[in-house]
Amino acid sequence: MFQHITVLLKESVDALDVKPDGVYVDCTLGGAGHSSLIAERLGPKGTLIGLDQDNRALEAAKLKLSQTSCNVILHKANFQHVKEVVTSLGYNQVDGVLFDLGVSSPQLDEGERGFSYHEDAPLDMRMDQDQELTAYEIVNQYPEEEISRILFQYGEEKFSRRIAHHIVQKRMIAPIDSTIELAEIIKGAIPAATRRKGPHPARRSFQGIRIAVNNELGVFEDALKQVVPLLRTGGRVAVISFHSLEDRICKHFFQEQAIGCICPKHFPVCVCNHQPSFTILTRKPIVPTDREIEANARARSAKLRVAEKI
């Protein structure tokens, strides 16, 4: 059973301003929570396109969306290929695009997927089970400097060098095979005083390795660029992020797309004729209510940003 508690459900779908006969793309289908509400607001002439690279998510979404009145198209793909997929289906432009980033609850809760530092499992962390690169290769084969960079850049882990060194020292004795083994190595590399406060000591490192395995930031940035020509005038893009790296990418991208004139400041008149592509609808991100966080602790870091195509 693929069960996932959808975060910022009403806020994100409200932000899309769903038109009954519109075309909407859920780039991160997951448990189809957002897609179900979008589908409810679409009429028989409306279309919902759902993308996911997890076979189980697609199967669960197909069942959940089977009774909807709108046209539903589910496609196995990384959202890095969103424009290619949408145009191949015969749609040159769409009315809305939704990204719900991060790892779904089933992926975290299923120990064998290797995302969790609480469950003993093989070092996997692949969102797409058909891809070759796993966390095992990164942990056991990457140079110490590269592991340190991944932990620091993607996990924002200040003890990245110490952790990378401990990992390399341990793997020289024997390969590091499991999530619990890796979590213990990370824990041992972090000073005791730091371990006693804050979240689990392996949280940041696991985040960094997971992002590297799935190239999450590069894929997201590439997908955002594809959304600009894909949206029709008045169409909206909504992004739910769960950590500062994703949110920063989204914030800066929206700001870049909202810029008009790019002439040097000393020019008396505009000669570039550069026009903005987006209007930012959320100057500050929308965050979950205390009530939602109380019901779902994983919602606590979520941020929603929305922009409209001009």
Side-chain angles (χ1 to χ4, degrees), residues 34-309:
H34 291 107
S35 279
S36 293
L37 187 54
I38 293 170
E40 280 182 25
R41 299 184 183 184
L42 287 171
K45 293 183 179 180
T47 299
L48 170 68
I49 301 170
L51 308 183
D52 208 294
Q53 52 188 349
D54 189 307
N55 289 322
R56 289 196 62 204
L58 287 164
E59 291 169 9
K62 183 178 180 181
L63 183 64
K64 191 167 185 176
L65 296 167
S66 61
Q67 302 301 314
T68 56
S69 62
C70 67
N71 180 33
V72 176
I73 304 171
L74 305 184
H75 195 97
K76 182 179 180 181
N78 186 303
F79 58 66
Q80 184 179 20
H81 309 293
V82 56
K83 187 180 179 184
E84 177 187 342
V85 170
V86 171
T87 54
S88 73
L89 295 171
Y91 299 95
N92 293 321
Q93 289 192 308
V94 301
D95 297 281
V97 180
L98 173 69
F99 293 92
D100 180 10
L101 305 173
V103 186
S104 67
S105 295
Q107 289 172 334
L108 283 171
D109 295 336
E110 292 168 13
E112 67 270 17
R113 299 296 294 272
F115 288 104
S116 175
Y117 37 77
H118 294 299
E119 302 285 342
D120 197 16
L123 282 172
D124 193 323
M125 300 195 194
R126 291 174 297 172
M127 292 183 181
D128 179 357
Q129 293 288 284
D130 293 329
Q131 84 169 36
E132 292 185 8
L133 179 64
T134 68
Y136 179 90
E137 278 74 40
I138 290 177
V139 170
N140 287 284
Q141 297 174 14
Y142 278 25
E144 182 175 329
E145 295 78 11
E146 180 63 6
I147 294 174
S148 176
R149 184 194 69 81
I150 287 170
L151 302 186
F152 182 76
Q153 186 174 340
Y154 299 152
E156 299 178 293
E157 174 55 73
K158 64 180 179 181
F159 297 108
S160 59
R161 290 185 178 181
R162 289 180 57 150
I163 294 169
H165 184 69
H166 272 65
I167 287 172
V168 171
Q169 292 298 306
K170 292 288 185 181
R171 78 186 190 190
M172 288 173 65
I173 301 169
I176 301 167
D177 294 314
S178 76
T179 51
I180 292 295
E181 185 182 1
L182 177 61
E184 286 300 312
I185 292 169
I186 294 167
K187 185 177 177 181
I190 294 176
T194 303
R195 293 201 307 264
R196 286 193 289 269
K197 57 185 179 181
H200 192 288
R203 183 176 68 86
R204 292 182 181 275
S205 294
F206 268 61
Q207 172 186 295
I209 295 169
R210 188 203 79 219
I211 288 173
V213 167
N214 299 287
N215 186 27
E216 292 175 36
L217 300 184
V219 164
F220 175 47
E221 200 160 11
D222 190 26
L224 278 177
K225 293 174 183 175
Q226 295 176 45
V227 165
V228 180
L230 198 58
L231 279 174
R232 70 175 87 255
T233 301
R236 294 183 178 185
V237 54
V239 177
I240 302 171
S241 63
F242 288 86
H243 59 72
S244 60
L245 299 174
E246 296 167 337
D247 182 57
R248 199 175 303 138
I249 288 172
C250 180
K251 177 183 177 181
H252 291 169
F253 183 80
F254 282 4
Q255 288 174 338
E256 288 170 5
Q257 295 301 316
I259 293 173
C261 174
I262 54 174
C263 291
K265 291 183 179 180
H266 64 272
F267 277 30
V269 294
C270 175
V271 295
C272 71
N273 296 316
H274 182 269
Q275 298 296 316
S277 299
F278 281 172
T279 294
I280 299 172
L281 302 181
T282 48
R283 290 296 167 183
K284 288 186 177 181
I286 297 169
V287 297
T289 62
D290 292 340
R291 185 175 180 180
E292 179 172 4
I293 294 170
E294 187 178 340
N296 178 19
R298 288 174 182 165
R300 65 186 178 275
S301 58
K303 292 181 179 179
L304 168 65
R305 293 186 186 272
V306 188
E308 182 174 294
K309 179 76 174 287

Side-chain angles (χ1 to χ4, degrees), residues 6-16 34 37 41 304:
T6 307
V7 175
L8 291 168
L9 173 59
K10 187 176 184 299
E11 293 90 340
S12 57
V13 178
D14 283 352
L16 289 175
H34 291 107
L37 187 54
R41 299 184 183 184
L304 168 65

